[in-house]
Amino acid sequence: MLLRPGALSLDELQAIHAGGQPLLMDPRALPGILASAAVVRAAAEGDAAVYGVNTGFGKLASTRISEADLATLQLNLIRSHSVGVGAPLSPPVVRLMLATKAASLARGHSGVRPVVIDTLLAVHNAGLVPWVPSQGSVGASGDLAPLSHMTLALLGEGAFLVDGQRRPAAEVLRAHGIAPLVLSAKEGLALINGTQTSTALALHALFAFEPVLEAALLIGALTVDAARGSDGPFDPRIHVLRGQPGQIDVAQYYRQLLAGSAIRASHQDGDDRVQDPYCLRCQPQVVGACLDQLRHAALVLLREANAVTDNPLVFAEDGTAGSGSPGPATAPSGGGDRRETGGTMISGGNFHAEPVALAADAMACAIAEVGAIAERRIAMLIDSNVSRLPPFLTANAGLNSGFMIAHVTAAALASENKSLAHPASVDSLPTSANQEDHVSMATFAARRLQPMIDNVAHILAIEWLAAAQGIEFLRPLQSSPPLEAAHALLRGDCPAMAQDRYIAPDIEAAAALVHGGALARILRTLPDLPALWTPA
Protein backbone atom coordinates (compact mmCIF):
# COMPACT_ATOMS: atom_id res chain seq x y z
CA MET A 1 0.00 0.00 0.00
CA LEU A 2 1.27 3.45 -0.89
CA LEU A 3 1.30 5.59 2.25
CA ARG A 4 0.15 9.04 1.18
CA PRO A 5 0.92 11.58 3.91
CA GLY A 6 -2.17 13.64 4.73
CA ALA A 7 -4.39 11.61 2.40
CA LEU A 8 -5.02 8.28 4.13
CA SER A 9 -8.57 6.99 3.76
CA LEU A 10 -10.61 5.21 6.40
CA ASP A 11 -10.50 2.04 4.29
CA GLU A 12 -6.70 2.23 4.17
CA LEU A 13 -6.51 2.71 7.93
CA GLN A 14 -8.79 -0.29 8.40
CA ALA A 15 -6.52 -2.36 6.14
CA ILE A 16 -3.46 -1.32 8.18
CA HIS A 17 -5.36 -2.19 11.35
CA ALA A 18 -6.13 -5.67 9.98
CA GLY A 19 -2.46 -6.32 9.15
CA GLY A 20 -0.67 -7.88 6.23
CA GLN A 21 -0.33 -4.60 4.34
CA PRO A 22 3.29 -3.65 3.53
CA LEU A 23 3.62 0.12 3.35
CA LEU A 24 5.62 2.16 0.87
CA MET A 25 6.09 5.88 1.43
CA ASP A 26 4.90 8.07 -1.41
CA PRO A 27 8.15 9.32 -3.03
CA ARG A 28 6.55 12.72 -3.59
CA ALA A 29 6.91 13.31 0.16
CA LEU A 30 10.72 13.18 0.09
CA PRO A 31 11.47 16.82 -0.88
CA GLY A 32 9.37 18.14 1.99
CA ILE A 33 10.99 15.73 4.43
CA LEU A 34 14.48 16.81 3.38
CA ALA A 35 13.59 20.50 3.48
CA SER A 36 12.22 20.35 7.02
CA ALA A 37 15.23 18.30 8.19
CA ALA A 38 17.50 21.01 6.79
CA VAL A 39 15.67 23.61 8.90
CA VAL A 40 16.34 21.62 12.05
CA ARG A 41 19.94 20.99 11.11
CA ALA A 42 20.48 24.73 10.63
CA ALA A 43 18.87 25.43 13.99
CA ALA A 44 21.07 22.84 15.70
CA GLU A 45 24.17 24.47 14.24
CA GLY A 46 23.02 27.99 15.09
CA ASP A 47 23.30 30.11 18.23
CA ALA A 48 19.59 30.69 19.01
CA ALA A 49 17.76 28.65 21.63
CA VAL A 50 15.21 26.49 19.82
CA TYR A 51 12.73 24.39 21.78
CA GLY A 52 13.02 20.73 20.99
CA VAL A 53 16.40 21.15 19.36
CA ASN A 54 18.83 22.60 21.92
CA THR A 55 16.74 23.13 25.06
CA GLY A 56 15.24 20.96 27.76
CA PHE A 57 11.62 19.91 27.59
CA GLY A 58 8.41 20.94 29.31
CA LYS A 59 9.18 22.99 32.41
CA LEU A 60 12.89 22.67 31.56
CA ALA A 61 12.51 24.49 28.22
CA SER A 62 14.63 27.39 29.46
CA THR A 63 17.65 25.12 30.00
CA ARG A 64 20.11 25.42 27.10
CA ILE A 65 21.85 22.26 25.82
CA SER A 66 25.27 22.36 24.16
CA GLU A 67 25.71 21.23 20.57
CA ALA A 68 27.85 18.30 21.70
CA ASP A 69 24.96 16.93 23.77
CA LEU A 70 22.11 17.26 21.27
CA ALA A 71 22.01 13.59 20.30
CA THR A 72 22.21 12.57 23.96
CA LEU A 73 19.36 14.98 24.71
CA GLN A 74 17.08 13.11 22.30
CA LEU A 75 18.12 9.69 23.58
CA ASN A 76 17.60 10.74 27.19
CA LEU A 77 14.18 12.07 26.26
CA ILE A 78 13.08 8.66 25.01
CA ARG A 79 14.57 6.79 27.93
CA SER A 80 13.11 9.09 30.58
CA HIS A 81 9.68 9.17 28.99
CA SER A 82 9.35 5.38 28.64
CA VAL A 83 7.41 5.08 31.88
CA GLY A 84 4.22 3.31 30.81
CA VAL A 85 2.55 0.60 32.86
CA GLY A 86 -0.11 -2.01 32.29
CA ALA A 87 -0.76 -4.64 29.67
CA PRO A 88 0.75 -4.06 26.22
CA LEU A 89 -1.30 -2.49 23.46
CA SER A 90 -2.63 -4.97 20.92
CA PRO A 91 -0.87 -5.48 17.56
CA PRO A 92 -3.63 -3.73 15.52
CA VAL A 93 -3.27 -0.60 17.67
CA VAL A 94 0.53 -0.59 17.41
CA ARG A 95 0.37 -1.11 13.64
CA LEU A 96 -1.77 2.01 13.37
CA MET A 97 0.65 3.90 15.62
CA LEU A 98 3.63 3.02 13.43
CA ALA A 99 1.84 3.86 10.18
CA THR A 100 0.21 7.11 11.28
CA LYS A 101 3.41 8.35 12.93
CA ALA A 102 5.33 7.65 9.71
CA ALA A 103 2.66 9.43 7.66
CA SER A 104 2.64 12.41 10.01
CA LEU A 105 6.43 12.81 9.96
CA ALA A 106 6.43 12.44 6.17
CA ARG A 107 4.29 15.53 5.71
CA GLY A 108 7.52 17.50 6.06
CA HIS A 109 6.76 19.64 9.11
CA SER A 110 8.57 17.68 11.82
CA GLY A 111 12.20 18.10 10.83
CA VAL A 112 13.21 14.43 10.86
CA ARG A 113 15.54 12.72 8.42
CA PRO A 114 14.16 10.11 5.99
CA VAL A 115 15.85 7.33 7.99
CA VAL A 116 13.40 7.90 10.86
CA ILE A 117 10.40 7.26 8.61
CA ASP A 118 12.17 4.38 6.87
CA THR A 119 12.78 2.67 10.23
CA LEU A 120 9.14 3.03 11.27
CA LEU A 121 8.04 1.44 8.00
CA ALA A 122 10.69 -1.29 8.14
CA VAL A 123 9.46 -2.33 11.59
CA HIS A 124 5.85 -2.26 10.42
CA ASN A 125 6.54 -4.19 7.21
CA ALA A 126 8.49 -6.86 9.10
CA GLY A 127 5.36 -7.48 11.17
CA LEU A 128 7.11 -6.41 14.35
CA VAL A 129 5.07 -5.06 17.26
CA PRO A 130 6.87 -2.82 19.76
CA TRP A 131 6.01 -3.55 23.39
CA VAL A 132 3.91 -0.54 24.39
CA PRO A 133 2.32 -0.48 27.86
CA SER A 134 -1.27 0.72 27.62
CA GLN A 135 -1.34 3.13 30.57
CA GLY A 136 0.53 6.34 31.27
CA SER A 137 -0.67 9.00 28.83
CA VAL A 138 -2.88 11.98 29.69
CA GLY A 139 -3.33 12.91 26.04
CA ALA A 140 -1.45 16.19 25.96
CA SER A 141 2.10 17.00 25.03
CA GLY A 142 1.22 14.03 22.91
CA ASP A 143 0.96 10.39 23.94
CA LEU A 144 4.42 10.68 25.44
CA ALA A 145 4.84 7.42 27.36
CA PRO A 146 3.37 4.99 24.80
CA LEU A 147 5.11 6.65 21.86
CA SER A 148 8.36 6.61 23.84
CA HIS A 149 8.09 2.85 24.33
CA MET A 150 7.40 2.46 20.60
CA THR A 151 10.46 4.58 19.82
CA LEU A 152 12.65 2.80 22.37
CA ALA A 153 12.09 -0.44 20.46
CA LEU A 154 13.20 1.28 17.24
CA LEU A 155 16.40 2.32 19.03
CA GLY A 156 17.12 -1.27 20.05
CA GLU A 157 16.71 -0.51 23.76
CA GLY A 158 13.07 -1.39 24.34
CA ALA A 159 11.19 -4.58 23.60
CA PHE A 160 8.96 -6.21 21.01
CA LEU A 161 5.92 -8.41 21.48
CA VAL A 162 6.76 -11.73 19.80
CA ASP A 163 4.30 -14.62 20.00
CA GLY A 164 2.77 -13.04 23.08
CA GLN A 165 6.12 -12.74 24.82
CA ARG A 166 8.33 -9.73 25.56
CA ARG A 167 11.63 -9.94 23.67
CA PRO A 168 14.65 -7.56 23.76
CA ALA A 169 14.48 -5.08 20.91
CA ALA A 170 18.12 -5.32 19.86
CA GLU A 171 17.81 -9.07 19.39
CA VAL A 172 14.59 -8.79 17.37
CA LEU A 173 15.87 -5.99 15.13
CA ARG A 174 19.06 -7.92 14.45
CA ALA A 175 17.09 -11.05 13.51
CA HIS A 176 15.16 -9.03 10.92
CA GLY A 177 18.14 -7.13 9.54
CA ILE A 178 16.89 -3.73 10.73
CA ALA A 179 19.52 -1.28 11.96
CA PRO A 180 18.61 0.39 15.28
CA LEU A 181 17.68 4.02 14.79
CA VAL A 182 20.18 6.63 15.97
CA LEU A 183 18.47 9.92 16.75
CA SER A 184 19.53 13.35 15.60
CA ALA A 185 18.37 16.78 16.76
CA LYS A 186 14.61 17.06 17.45
CA GLU A 187 13.88 13.54 16.18
CA GLY A 188 13.11 12.02 19.57
CA LEU A 189 10.65 14.79 20.34
CA ALA A 190 9.03 14.47 16.90
CA LEU A 191 8.52 10.75 17.46
CA ILE A 192 6.83 11.02 20.86
CA ASN A 193 4.99 14.34 20.53
CA GLY A 194 1.69 13.53 18.86
CA THR A 195 -1.71 11.88 19.19
CA GLN A 196 -0.99 8.64 17.34
CA THR A 197 -1.69 6.34 20.32
CA SER A 198 -5.03 7.84 21.32
CA THR A 199 -6.06 8.06 17.66
CA ALA A 200 -5.05 4.44 17.04
CA LEU A 201 -7.00 3.27 20.08
CA ALA A 202 -10.10 5.18 18.98
CA LEU A 203 -9.84 3.82 15.43
CA HIS A 204 -9.40 0.35 16.88
CA ALA A 205 -12.70 0.80 18.73
CA LEU A 206 -14.43 2.19 15.64
CA PHE A 207 -13.37 -0.81 13.55
CA ALA A 208 -14.16 -3.30 16.33
CA PHE A 209 -17.64 -1.87 16.87
CA GLU A 210 -18.65 -1.95 13.21
CA PRO A 211 -19.66 -5.66 13.12
CA VAL A 212 -21.23 -5.33 16.57
CA LEU A 213 -23.43 -2.47 15.42
CA GLU A 214 -24.40 -4.39 12.30
CA ALA A 215 -25.30 -7.35 14.52
CA ALA A 216 -27.41 -5.02 16.69
CA LEU A 217 -29.47 -4.03 13.66
CA LEU A 218 -30.12 -7.62 12.64
CA ILE A 219 -30.81 -8.89 16.16
CA GLY A 220 -33.07 -5.91 16.86
CA ALA A 221 -35.11 -6.77 13.77
CA LEU A 222 -35.30 -10.41 14.84
CA THR A 223 -36.69 -9.26 18.19
CA VAL A 224 -39.34 -7.19 16.41
CA ASP A 225 -40.57 -10.34 14.68
CA ALA A 226 -40.29 -12.53 17.80
CA ALA A 227 -42.50 -10.03 19.66
CA ARG A 228 -44.81 -9.73 16.64
CA GLY A 229 -44.08 -6.05 16.45
CA SER A 230 -45.18 -3.67 13.74
CA ASP A 231 -43.05 -2.51 10.85
CA GLY A 232 -45.08 0.70 10.66
CA PRO A 233 -42.58 2.67 12.77
CA PHE A 234 -39.99 2.09 10.03
CA ASP A 235 -42.07 3.76 7.32
CA PRO A 236 -39.72 6.15 5.47
CA ARG A 237 -42.22 9.01 5.60
CA ILE A 238 -41.82 9.23 9.37
CA HIS A 239 -38.04 9.57 9.23
CA VAL A 240 -37.85 11.96 6.30
CA LEU A 241 -39.97 14.40 8.30
CA ARG A 242 -37.32 14.49 11.02
CA GLY A 243 -34.38 14.63 8.64
CA GLN A 244 -31.77 12.95 10.84
CA PRO A 245 -29.58 10.94 8.42
CA GLY A 246 -28.68 8.12 10.81
CA GLN A 247 -32.31 7.62 11.71
CA ILE A 248 -33.31 7.52 8.05
CA ASP A 249 -30.64 4.95 7.27
CA VAL A 250 -31.40 2.70 10.25
CA ALA A 251 -35.12 2.67 9.36
CA GLN A 252 -34.14 1.53 5.87
CA TYR A 253 -32.13 -1.33 7.37
CA TYR A 254 -35.14 -2.46 9.41
CA ARG A 255 -37.54 -2.27 6.47
CA GLN A 256 -35.32 -4.50 4.37
CA LEU A 257 -34.62 -6.91 7.22
CA LEU A 258 -38.32 -7.42 7.93
CA ALA A 259 -39.51 -7.53 4.32
CA GLY A 260 -41.14 -10.84 3.42
CA SER A 261 -41.75 -12.03 6.98
CA ALA A 262 -44.68 -14.44 7.24
CA ILE A 263 -44.75 -13.73 10.98
CA ARG A 264 -45.44 -10.08 10.27
CA ALA A 265 -48.07 -10.91 7.65
CA SER A 266 -49.88 -13.21 10.11
CA HIS A 267 -50.83 -10.39 12.47
CA GLN A 268 -50.80 -7.37 10.17
CA ASP A 269 -54.57 -6.88 10.16
CA GLY A 270 -55.67 -8.43 13.44
CA ASP A 271 -53.25 -6.94 16.00
CA ASP A 272 -55.05 -5.20 18.86
CA ARG A 273 -51.94 -3.35 20.07
CA VAL A 274 -51.99 0.31 19.07
CA GLN A 275 -48.26 0.91 19.59
CA ASP A 276 -45.20 -1.19 20.34
CA PRO A 277 -42.86 -0.45 23.27
CA TYR A 278 -40.18 2.15 22.64
CA CYS A 279 -37.45 -0.51 22.54
CA LEU A 280 -39.04 -1.79 19.32
CA ARG A 281 -40.50 1.20 17.53
CA CYS A 282 -37.86 3.78 18.50
CA GLN A 283 -34.90 1.76 17.24
CA PRO A 284 -34.31 4.09 14.26
CA GLN A 285 -34.38 7.12 16.52
CA VAL A 286 -32.02 5.65 19.13
CA VAL A 287 -29.61 3.59 17.03
CA GLY A 288 -29.76 6.19 14.25
CA ALA A 289 -28.61 8.89 16.68
CA CYS A 290 -25.78 6.60 17.76
CA LEU A 291 -24.86 6.08 14.12
CA ASP A 292 -24.68 9.83 13.57
CA GLN A 293 -22.30 10.16 16.53
CA LEU A 294 -20.12 7.35 15.22
CA ARG A 295 -20.02 8.88 11.75
CA HIS A 296 -18.90 12.20 13.21
CA ALA A 297 -16.25 10.42 15.29
CA ALA A 298 -15.00 8.66 12.16
CA LEU A 299 -14.53 12.01 10.43
CA VAL A 300 -12.64 13.47 13.40
CA LEU A 301 -10.40 10.41 13.68
CA LEU A 302 -9.70 10.37 9.96
CA ARG A 303 -8.57 14.00 10.13
CA GLU A 304 -6.43 13.23 13.17
CA ALA A 305 -4.81 10.19 11.54
CA ASN A 306 -3.71 12.46 8.69
CA ALA A 307 -2.62 15.35 10.90
CA VAL A 308 0.75 16.69 12.01
CA THR A 309 0.55 16.77 15.80
CA ASP A 310 4.09 17.19 17.14
CA ASN A 311 5.74 20.36 18.41
CA PRO A 312 7.43 22.62 17.43
CA LEU A 313 6.39 22.49 13.78
CA VAL A 314 8.80 23.18 10.96
CA PHE A 315 8.05 25.28 7.89
CA ALA A 316 10.76 25.23 5.26
CA GLU A 317 9.28 28.43 3.81
CA ASP A 318 8.17 31.19 6.16
CA GLY A 319 4.72 32.34 5.07
CA THR A 320 4.08 34.70 7.99
CA ALA A 321 3.97 37.73 5.71
CA GLY A 322 0.82 36.32 4.08
CA SER A 323 2.13 36.63 0.53
CA GLY A 324 2.95 32.95 0.09
CA SER A 325 6.55 33.79 -0.70
CA PRO A 326 9.43 32.82 1.59
CA GLY A 327 10.05 35.36 4.32
CA PRO A 328 12.73 35.67 6.99
CA ALA A 329 13.38 32.39 8.78
CA THR A 330 12.19 31.83 12.32
CA ALA A 331 13.42 29.68 15.17
CA PRO A 332 11.14 30.26 18.18
CA SER A 333 12.41 30.00 21.71
CA GLY A 334 9.50 28.71 23.80
CA GLY A 335 6.41 30.44 22.43
CA GLY A 336 8.20 33.47 20.96
CA ASP A 337 9.77 33.96 17.55
CA ARG A 338 13.48 34.41 16.98
CA ARG A 339 14.71 35.22 13.46
CA GLU A 340 17.54 33.01 12.25
CA THR A 341 18.31 31.10 9.08
CA GLY A 342 16.99 27.81 7.73
CA GLY A 343 13.19 28.28 7.70
CA THR A 344 10.55 28.65 10.38
CA MET A 345 9.92 26.67 13.56
CA ILE A 346 6.80 27.53 15.55
CA SER A 347 5.79 26.19 18.95
CA GLY A 348 2.11 25.40 19.27
CA GLY A 349 -0.24 22.83 20.74
CA ASN A 350 -1.29 20.34 18.05
CA PHE A 351 -0.26 17.56 20.45
CA HIS A 352 -3.33 18.30 22.60
CA ALA A 353 -5.72 15.41 21.86
CA GLU A 354 -8.99 17.14 22.76
CA PRO A 355 -10.58 16.28 19.36
CA VAL A 356 -9.83 12.60 19.95
CA ALA A 357 -11.06 12.73 23.56
CA LEU A 358 -14.39 14.29 22.62
CA ALA A 359 -14.83 11.88 19.71
CA ALA A 360 -14.08 8.91 21.98
CA ASP A 361 -16.52 10.20 24.58
CA ALA A 362 -19.22 10.48 21.91
CA MET A 363 -18.40 6.93 20.82
CA ALA A 364 -18.71 5.74 24.42
CA CYS A 365 -22.21 7.19 24.74
CA ALA A 366 -23.24 5.67 21.42
CA ILE A 367 -21.81 2.25 22.30
CA ALA A 368 -23.53 2.30 25.70
CA GLU A 369 -26.88 3.26 24.16
CA VAL A 370 -26.79 0.44 21.61
CA GLY A 371 -26.37 -1.95 24.54
CA ALA A 372 -28.95 -0.16 26.69
CA ILE A 373 -31.79 -0.46 24.19
CA ALA A 374 -30.83 -4.10 23.50
CA GLU A 375 -31.14 -4.85 27.22
CA ARG A 376 -34.62 -3.29 27.16
CA ARG A 377 -35.60 -5.55 24.27
CA ILE A 378 -34.52 -8.61 26.28
CA ALA A 379 -36.60 -7.40 29.23
CA MET A 380 -39.57 -6.98 26.90
CA LEU A 381 -39.19 -10.49 25.43
CA ILE A 382 -39.21 -12.25 28.83
CA ASP A 383 -42.21 -10.23 30.06
CA SER A 384 -45.22 -12.18 28.86
CA ASN A 385 -47.53 -9.23 29.48
CA VAL A 386 -45.73 -7.27 26.77
CA SER A 387 -44.32 -9.89 24.41
CA ARG A 388 -47.28 -12.30 24.64
CA LEU A 389 -44.73 -15.09 24.64
CA PRO A 390 -44.40 -17.63 27.48
CA PRO A 391 -42.92 -16.13 30.68
CA PHE A 392 -39.13 -15.95 30.53
CA LEU A 393 -39.33 -17.71 27.14
CA THR A 394 -39.76 -21.15 28.62
CA ALA A 395 -42.66 -23.56 28.10
CA ASN A 396 -42.82 -24.71 31.71
CA ALA A 397 -42.17 -21.55 33.74
CA GLY A 398 -41.67 -22.21 37.42
CA LEU A 399 -39.99 -25.54 36.98
CA ASN A 400 -37.78 -23.72 34.46
CA SER A 401 -36.39 -20.20 34.86
CA GLY A 402 -35.65 -19.80 31.17
CA PHE A 403 -34.00 -16.47 30.35
CA MET A 404 -34.68 -14.88 33.74
CA ILE A 405 -31.06 -14.66 34.87
CA ALA A 406 -29.58 -14.28 31.40
CA HIS A 407 -31.44 -10.97 31.39
CA VAL A 408 -29.84 -10.11 34.75
CA THR A 409 -26.43 -10.56 33.12
CA ALA A 410 -27.46 -8.23 30.30
CA ALA A 411 -28.67 -5.67 32.85
CA ALA A 412 -25.38 -5.89 34.74
CA LEU A 413 -23.39 -5.28 31.56
CA ALA A 414 -25.60 -2.38 30.48
CA SER A 415 -25.22 -0.79 33.91
CA GLU A 416 -21.45 -1.25 33.81
CA ASN A 417 -21.35 0.57 30.48
CA LYS A 418 -23.19 3.51 32.02
CA SER A 419 -20.24 4.06 34.38
CA LEU A 420 -17.70 3.53 31.62
CA ALA A 421 -19.52 6.07 29.44
CA HIS A 422 -18.75 8.91 31.84
CA PRO A 423 -16.83 11.44 29.72
CA ALA A 424 -13.09 11.27 30.19
CA SER A 425 -12.50 14.62 28.49
CA VAL A 426 -13.97 16.61 31.39
CA ASP A 427 -11.15 15.44 33.64
CA SER A 428 -7.77 17.17 33.69
CA LEU A 429 -4.80 17.03 36.02
CA PRO A 430 -1.94 19.53 35.56
CA THR A 431 1.45 17.94 34.81
CA SER A 432 5.06 19.03 34.32
CA ALA A 433 5.04 21.43 37.30
CA ASN A 434 1.94 23.20 35.90
CA GLN A 435 3.57 23.96 32.54
CA GLU A 436 1.20 21.46 30.97
CA ASP A 437 -1.85 22.58 32.91
CA HIS A 438 -4.75 21.20 30.87
CA VAL A 439 -4.82 17.72 29.36
CA SER A 440 -7.36 15.76 27.34
CA MET A 441 -7.31 12.23 28.81
CA ALA A 442 -7.88 11.08 25.23
CA THR A 443 -5.84 7.91 25.58
CA PHE A 444 -7.98 6.57 28.40
CA ALA A 445 -11.12 7.88 26.66
CA ALA A 446 -10.27 5.67 23.68
CA ARG A 447 -8.83 2.72 25.60
CA ARG A 448 -11.96 2.24 27.73
CA LEU A 449 -14.07 1.66 24.61
CA GLN A 450 -12.93 -1.95 24.16
CA PRO A 451 -14.51 -3.33 27.36
CA MET A 452 -17.67 -1.41 26.50
CA ILE A 453 -17.81 -3.04 23.07
CA ASP A 454 -17.30 -6.46 24.63
CA ASN A 455 -20.17 -5.77 27.04
CA VAL A 456 -22.47 -4.81 24.17
CA ALA A 457 -21.50 -7.92 22.21
CA HIS A 458 -22.54 -10.07 25.16
CA ILE A 459 -25.81 -8.17 25.64
CA LEU A 460 -26.57 -8.72 21.97
CA ALA A 461 -25.64 -12.40 22.29
CA ILE A 462 -28.24 -12.80 25.03
CA GLU A 463 -30.84 -10.93 23.00
CA TRP A 464 -30.08 -13.10 19.97
CA LEU A 465 -30.62 -16.25 22.02
CA ALA A 466 -33.82 -14.82 23.49
CA ALA A 467 -35.22 -13.63 20.16
CA ALA A 468 -34.43 -16.97 18.51
CA GLN A 469 -36.23 -18.71 21.38
CA GLY A 470 -39.20 -16.42 20.81
CA ILE A 471 -39.26 -17.33 17.14
CA GLU A 472 -39.45 -21.03 18.13
CA PHE A 473 -42.80 -20.37 19.80
CA LEU A 474 -44.20 -18.90 16.56
CA ARG A 475 -43.41 -21.91 14.35
CA PRO A 476 -44.30 -23.01 11.74
CA LEU A 477 -44.42 -19.34 10.69
CA GLN A 478 -41.23 -18.11 9.07
CA SER A 479 -39.53 -14.77 9.43
CA SER A 480 -37.87 -12.93 6.53
CA PRO A 481 -34.99 -14.60 4.63
CA PRO A 482 -32.19 -12.59 6.32
CA LEU A 483 -33.72 -13.08 9.78
CA GLU A 484 -34.15 -16.80 9.16
CA ALA A 485 -30.49 -16.89 8.11
CA ALA A 486 -29.57 -15.26 11.43
CA HIS A 487 -31.72 -17.77 13.30
CA ALA A 488 -30.10 -20.71 11.48
CA LEU A 489 -26.62 -19.31 12.09
CA LEU A 490 -27.25 -19.25 15.84
CA ARG A 491 -28.79 -22.70 15.87
CA GLY A 492 -25.65 -24.06 14.27
CA ASP A 493 -23.89 -23.50 17.61
CA CYS A 494 -26.70 -23.03 20.12
CA PRO A 495 -29.75 -25.35 20.08
CA ALA A 496 -33.16 -24.21 21.25
CA MET A 497 -33.67 -24.36 25.03
CA ALA A 498 -36.61 -26.70 25.63
CA GLN A 499 -35.76 -26.76 29.34
CA ASP A 500 -33.22 -25.20 31.63
CA ARG A 501 -29.63 -26.07 30.87
CA TYR A 502 -26.15 -24.57 31.14
CA ILE A 503 -26.27 -21.61 28.70
CA ALA A 504 -23.14 -19.62 29.54
CA PRO A 505 -21.27 -21.41 26.70
CA ASP A 506 -24.10 -20.44 24.33
CA ILE A 507 -23.73 -16.80 25.33
CA GLU A 508 -20.00 -16.95 24.63
CA ALA A 509 -20.53 -18.69 21.29
CA ALA A 510 -23.12 -16.12 20.22
CA ALA A 511 -20.91 -13.23 21.35
CA ALA A 512 -18.04 -14.64 19.28
CA LEU A 513 -20.30 -14.65 16.22
CA VAL A 514 -21.29 -11.04 16.94
CA HIS A 515 -17.66 -9.94 17.32
CA GLY A 516 -16.50 -11.97 14.35
CA GLY A 517 -18.87 -10.37 11.85
CA ALA A 518 -20.97 -13.42 10.97
CA LEU A 519 -24.20 -11.44 11.35
CA ALA A 520 -22.65 -8.49 9.56
CA ARG A 521 -22.03 -10.72 6.54
CA ILE A 522 -25.72 -11.62 6.43
CA LEU A 523 -26.67 -7.96 6.66
CA ARG A 524 -24.34 -7.02 3.82
CA THR A 525 -26.14 -9.38 1.44
CA LEU A 526 -29.09 -6.98 1.38
CA PRO A 527 -29.06 -4.73 -1.69
CA ASP A 528 -28.70 -0.94 -1.74
CA LEU A 529 -28.09 -0.44 1.98
CA PRO A 530 -26.37 2.78 3.11
CA ALA A 531 -22.81 2.51 4.37
CA LEU A 532 -22.37 2.68 8.11
CA TRP A 533 -19.76 5.30 8.91
CA THR A 534 -17.50 5.59 5.91
CA PRO A 535 -17.06 9.39 5.62
CA ALA A 536 -18.40 10.90 2.42
Side-chain angles (χ1 to χ4, degrees), residues 203-251:
L203 285 168
H204 180 47
L206 187 75
F207 300 146
F209 192 57
E210 183 172 9
V212 177
L213 180 60
E214 290 173 308
L217 295 170
L218 213 154
I219 293 168
L222 187 66
T223 296
V224 171
D225 242 13
R228 287 166 286 182
S230 172
D231 56 3
F234 312 127
D235 188 302
R237 292 169 292 185
I238 295 173
H239 308 287
V240 168
L241 280 177
R242 195 174 203 181
Q244 297 288 357
Q247 177 179 327
I248 292 169
D249 289 348
V250 167

Side-chain angles (χ1 to χ4, degrees), residues 145-225:
L147 289 171
S148 292
H149 282 277
M150 181 190 78
T151 303
L152 201 65
L154 271 58
L155 304 180
E157 292 197 10
F160 285 94
L161 186 64
V162 180
D163 297 327
Q165 301 297 315
R166 189 172 180 173
R167 296 281 300 277
E171 167 190 314
V172 174
L173 291 176
R174 184 166 53 250
H176 287 82
I178 300 172
L181 180 62
V182 178
L183 297 172
S184 187
K186 192 186 177 294
E187 290 176 343
L189 185 60
L191 280 161
I192 70 171
N193 225 196
T195 62
Q196 284 76 32
T197 301
S198 52
T199 302
L201 281 164
L203 285 168
H204 180 47
L206 187 75
F207 300 146
F209 192 57
E210 183 172 9
V212 177
L213 180 60
E214 290 173 308
L217 295 170
L218 213 154
I219 293 168
L222 187 66
T223 296
V224 171
D225 242 13

Side-chain angles (χ1 to χ4, degrees), residues 19 62 76 93 96 121 126 138 150 202 233 270 342 345 349 359 390 416 476-477 511 519 525 530:
S62 59
N76 286 347
V93 173
L96 283 170
L121 295 183
V138 295
M150 181 190 78
M345 294 179 64
E416 185 176 305
L477 293 173
L519 282 168
T525 63

